[in-house]
Amino acid sequence: MPDYAFVRQTDGFTCGPTVAMVASAALDPSYGATVSDAGEEQHRIHAAASRLWPRKLGTTPWGVAGIISAHTAALGVRYGWRLFRGDLAAAIAAVECDWPVAMLIGAAIPRHWVLIVGHRDGVLECFNPARGVVASIPVADVAARRLEPLGFPRAFALVLPRHVTS
């Protein structure tokens, strides 16, 4: 995964577009090379992903999945979303094969997107677009709702590679 520490979300509503942009750039380097203004690109993605959804409510899981899938179609992979039910096996398998996984987190309600970019020895590496940093989170802490280093305690949904098309 390239170093995206310089990328930060531009406002309180663009964490999802930022995560989608970083994942897309990692999976499609030709797309990444075209992004000259990350803030402008975040807003373009937000508009594209939220056509029927109020932007002030953030970005939906299906919106994030759709943006990433647009950049993985040539690779034969589509991203999809699912509710988080305590199992990270598919997410871990994906990131171990260099497929980033978006995770929607929050407290009582979903509020923030982060991007799982790696896994090693039971620890996830999660890019947090609010700070532009990668935080280390033990896998056990996700199920135990201890994600405070990412800003919120609980995972709600995952956006991950769903199936390979031929």
Side-chain angles (χ1 to χ4, degrees):
M1 175 63 84
D3 179 17
Y4 290 100
F6 63 91
V7 178
R8 290 189 179 164
Q9 67 189 75
T10 59
D11 58 37
F13 309 106
T14 55
C15 54
T18 306
V19 160
M21 179 182 70
V22 168
S24 297
L27 296 167
D28 180 1
S30 63
Y31 161 73
T34 68
V35 178
S36 59
D37 183 331
E40 185 178 297
E41 183 65 0
Q42 289 170 35
H43 291 286
R44 186 197 67 74
I45 289 171
H46 202 188
S50 304
R51 292 191 196 282
L52 301 175
W53 184 260
R55 290 188 203 151
K56 295 285 184 189
L57 295 179
T59 309
T60 63
W62 53 92
V64 171
I67 295 298
I68 299 171
S69 289
H71 296 280
T72 60
L75 302 172
V77 174
R78 289 191 47 81
Y79 269 68
W81 75 278
R82 66 177 179 148
L83 294 174
F84 176 72
R85 299 197 192 285
D87 181 19
L88 286 168
I92 290 169
V95 298
E96 286 181 346
C97 292
D98 296 325
W99 294 97
V101 173
M103 181 168 60
L104 181 59
I105 62 174
I109 58 170
R111 304 249 345 232
H112 186 57
W113 284 100
V114 298
L115 188 66
I116 305 170
V117 296
H119 171 260
R120 186 175 197 180
D121 299 326
V123 177
L124 299 174
E125 297 298 319
C126 300
F127 170 72
N128 184 348
R131 297 188 181 119
V133 298
V134 175
S136 297
I137 305 293
V139 170
D141 285 0
V142 179
R145 298 183 179 185
R146 292 190 302 251
L147 301 176
E148 284 78 11
L150 297 173
F152 295 95
R154 178 178 174 203
F156 283 90
L158 298 169
V159 172
L160 60 164
R162 185 170 252 170
H163 65 287
V164 177
T165 60
S166 48

